Amino acid sequence: MTVSPRVVVLAGGVGGSRFVLGVRAALQARGVADTGAALTVVVNTGDDLWLSGVRLQPDVDSLTYALAGVNDAERGWGRRGDSERVNHELQEWGAGWPWFTLGDLDLGTHLARTGWLREGLTPTQVLERMSHRWDLGARLLPMTDAEVDTVVVLPDGTRMHFQEWWTRHRATLAPAAFENPGIQGAAPAPGVLEAIAGADAVLIAPSNPVVSIGPILAVPGMRDALRAALGPVVGVSPIIGGKVVRGMADVCLTAIGVDTSASAVAGLYGARGGAGLLDAWLIGEEDEAAADAVAGLGIRPLVRPLWMTDPDRQAALGEAALAAAEV
Ligand code: GDP
Ligand code: CA
């Protein structure tokens, strides 16, 4: 009988989804029958927002749709085969944001979620309920039940929701800071600390370090839990060959004074042997020269293929991360 490891992944949306699909596939390949019991994903909720009266959870939904196999992989967000009739109508009313598309099927998700929130369910309970529709093969937990939406602060003091900065302005406005108002008073969602404490491995997905993993780590108690975890903490670099693979993580890293390189992101997370989080860090074959710098930080570097461009590569990366954690 296969002994099922307990694995926790910290993840954002699209990069996070690809990695979680890979970890799920790697567990399946190892003969784990119930990956839903073995795999817990702690999801960034910093991207969440209220729009046209409904609560959007972009990273939560990206993960749900990807695990369910109903995501639009080509476009990178939303549901495959979605239409935009309601969105068009909202725009005729001048409601919402003209540059932010809400698909019809996606709106069904947001309406269901908002209804349950209004009935008094917590975000954790709503996500648990939403996870029943499909066989996701993973347990999704929001990082927190508190509303701590990411705000971008510009050098002149202008503040805007992360989604406006990212989608409307395409991250072209140089940010001075990213904030999650209220996060100091937030707590990890129920089950998060227990999952980390009991995990055989904690994996940090190659998600945006600043606006996807950053908010998760900013929830009070999260860093201490990772540092105290019995299992190894293994991260995967979102930077390959000194470049972001997709998205605008370089702008985010620059804003907080971190180079767009595999070793600089390792330095941002830090070594668990020091004041940081990582035991091991997977870097791309293109970044082999950075291995010494990573080792110099007190983090074990592992050079592996990091591209997640198809299911086989995703599964191989998932397996490499599990192996790095020695599970
Ligand atoms: P978002 O929330 O949808 O923006 O997605 P995430 O934050 O989860 O992931 C975005 C990050 O994924 C980007 O910074 C990319 O560098 C990274 N990424 C995307 N595809 C790949 C890949 O194939 N390999 C690796 N290592 N990183 C990737
Ligand atoms: Ca995101």
Side-chain angles (χ1 to χ4, degrees):
M1 199 184 88
T2 310
V3 179
S4 174
R6 289 159 303 172
V7 180
V8 171
V9 182
L10 311 187
V14 176
S17 301
R18 290 184 184 151
F19 182 68
V20 169
L21 288 178
V23 175
R24 188 182 66 176
L27 289 169
Q28 284 165 347
R30 286 171 170 224
V32 175
D34 185 3
T35 57
L39 178 57
T40 298
V41 185
V42 178
V43 188
N44 172 42
T45 59
D47 289 9
D48 298 6
L49 72 158
W50 287 99
L51 193 67
S52 293
V54 291
R55 186 72 172 152
L56 274 53
Q57 295 199 291
D59 288 0
V60 165
D61 291 344
S62 289
L63 274 155
T64 303
Y65 296 158
L67 287 164
V70 300
N71 59 311
D72 187 330
E74 234 148 78
R75 196 173 49 172
W77 52 272
R79 290 278 298 274
R80 191 168 54 239
D82 211 345
S83 48
E84 295 174 11
R85 287 192 72 193
V86 179
N87 192 64
H88 179 73
E89 195 62 9
L90 286 169
Q91 298 200 347
E92 290 294 322
W93 287 115
W97 284 332
W99 37 266
F100 200 85
T101 308
L102 297 171
D104 293 333
L105 299 177
D106 215 11
L107 268 162
T109 305
H110 308 326
L111 283 171
R113 168 164 44 232
T114 306
W116 289 326
L117 289 172
R118 292 248 154 100
E119 286 168 21
L121 268 65
T122 63
T124 302
Q125 291 166 337
V126 170
L127 184 49
E128 214 257 329
R129 190 177 280 192
M130 296 199 126
S131 297
H132 291 154
R133 177 169 173 191
W134 293 291
D135 180 13
L136 301 182
R139 180 169 66 131
L140 301 183
L141 296 177
M143 65 188 199
T144 178
D145 278 339
E147 280 183 24
V148 291
D149 308 5
T150 302
V151 170
V152 182
V153 187
L154 301 183
D156 68 0
T158 307
R159 300 169 68 84
M160 65 181 74
H161 193 283
F162 168 74
Q163 293 296 348
E164 181 172 4
W165 180 75
W166 186 262
T167 308
R168 180 183 190 184
H169 299 290
R170 296 257 150 242
T172 52
L173 305 174
F178 299 92
E179 292 177 1
N180 294 91
I183 202 160
Q184 298 79 4
V192 168
L193 296 181
E194 294 82 349
I196 292 171
D200 298 301
V202 180
L203 310 178
I204 302 182
S207 290
N208 187 313
V210 185
V211 294
S212 291
I213 303 297
I216 300 176
L217 299 180
V219 178
M222 202 71 85
R223 280 181 178 274
D224 288 345
L226 292 166
R227 285 178 57 73
L230 293 179
V233 179
V234 174
V236 179
S237 175
I239 308 300
I240 306 180
K243 291 194 178 69
V244 289
V245 177
R246 60 174 282 286
M248 298 157 283
D250 46 347
V251 183
C252 304
L253 286 166
T254 304
I256 62 160
V258 176
D259 285 347
T260 301
S261 75
S263 55
V265 177
L268 173 66
Y269 292 144
R272 196 141 75 122
L277 306 173
L278 294 174
D279 295 303
W281 183 238
L282 272 59
I283 62 175
E285 296 159 310
E286 301 84 340
D287 297 300
E288 202 171 354
D292 285 349
V294 175
L297 295 165
I299 300 164
R300 187 159 58 98
L302 292 154
V303 179
R304 297 286 183 273
L306 293 195
W307 293 94
M308 303 187 288
T309 35
D310 61 54
D312 287 347
R313 289 193 176 95
Q314 290 168 0
L317 183 55
E319 175 54 37
L322 292 175
E326 287 163 11
V327 293

